Amino acid sequence: MQIISDIQQMQSLATSLKREGKRIAFVPTMGFLHAGHASLLREGRRRGDVLVLSIFVNPIQFGQNEDLDLYPRDVERDCRIAAECGVDIVFTPDAAGMYPPGFQTGVTVREVSLPLCGASRPGHFDGVATVVAKLFNIVQPDLALFGRKDYQQLAVIRRMVLDLCMPVEIVGMPIVRETDGLAMSSRNAYLSQEQRRSALCLHRTVVAARKMFAAGERRVDVMRKAAQETIGQEPSVSIEYVEFRDGATLEEQEIVDNATLLALAVKIGQTRLIDNTVLGEEL
Ligand code: PAF
């Protein structure tokens, strides 16, 4: 496994791999890998000739009051996991290389970025779209894999790739959960034992909503109230949003269907957690 920090070196290696006809599979991450990332890497390994993992805590997707400095990092451990998953190249650029003095270009994906997490994290998805566009230009992947836990991020990236004719297949991978249902996230590391227990209300809400849908309920107001009540049973959890939206456009709906996304965001102490499900989707 090769570890490359230099942007030009990564880009020229990718160019020569492509010339040799190699199919590059790419998993962009901010590191602190968990089983969710491992599932992306294993699928990437299966689909590509060369598997590239990037680890870069992207400063421009963090807001002023967010946890950039505190964001968990452990590159050594990440490299061990990467090796176990069959990664060929770990790309670890630094912020000075990615955003040199004078940097002034960004990618904005408009409507899809605005609701849900975009409403409380203005500029976040501009930062994500910009860094992913840059990483795609450097790594030149044939396919890139993203977790569906960050559903809106995936929708933003799909839209960007479509709108800007980027020659990259985007693969959305199912949410990986702990045995008790908590969706895997690097931010789970911040939770105390008690907070972690409270966080299970997210999965309970997802399960209950899917049951209501399977039993025939279609009214968003009824389903939203039930979801809010389930989360409300945990006094230490504050709701940021409970939303039912079209799974592709993220537009609001009054009546749900198979493709409706239930998206949840809560705060437990200082930690912000998200979860989601597409109501009619087989798990
Ligand atoms: O999901 C993440 O880890 C990040 O948002 C991404 C896609 C690597 C961009 O920095």
Side-chain angles (χ1 to χ4, degrees), residues 28-30 58 61 131-132 146 150 153:
T29 76
M30 298 207 298
N58 174 33
Q61 71 186 73
V131 81
V132 171
F146 295 86
D150 294 306
Q153 167 171 284

Side-chain angles (χ1 to χ4, degrees), residues 22 35 58 214-215 241:
K22 298 276 197 280
N58 174 33
Y241 62 73

